[in-house]
Amino acid sequence: ATDRLFTLGDGGRWAAVAEAKASARDEAVRHGADPQATEIVDLEEITLSYLDAPIVRIRAKAVGLLAHSDSWS
């Protein structure tokens, strides 16, 4: 799962969401998920309107099947 603040730059909201999704997938894979069977199951975006800069908090959660390893015999 990823829970981060993003400053909306040139890529805007789309780039921030894409980065959060990629980060969540990468973390799931680092914890043993199969990269081919990992998907985003939860995505939440909160605009922090009380700040001067355009900043959003994005939470993304990815899950996947455990990767198969021949060394698990």
Side-chain angles (χ1 to χ4, degrees):
T2 296
D3 187 351
R4 288 186 36 206
L5 298 178
F6 292 86
T7 300
L8 300 182
D10 294 337
R13 177 188 170 276
W14 184 87
V17 169
E19 185 178 339
K21 286 180 174 182
S23 178
R25 282 190 187 101
D26 290 345
E27 186 173 340
V29 170
R30 275 194 311 273
H31 286 90
D34 180 351
Q36 302 301 317
T38 302
E39 62 181 297
I40 301 297
V41 295
D42 189 30
L43 184 68
E44 180 180 12
E45 179 183 352
I46 302 166
T47 303
L48 303 180
S49 58
Y50 53 86
L51 299 174
D52 292 336
I55 296 177
V56 295
R57 177 181 182 184
I58 299 177
R59 290 188 235 179
K61 182 177 181 180
V63 297
L65 300 173
L66 288 177
H68 177 69
S69 174
D70 292 334
S71 64
W72 292 357
S73 312

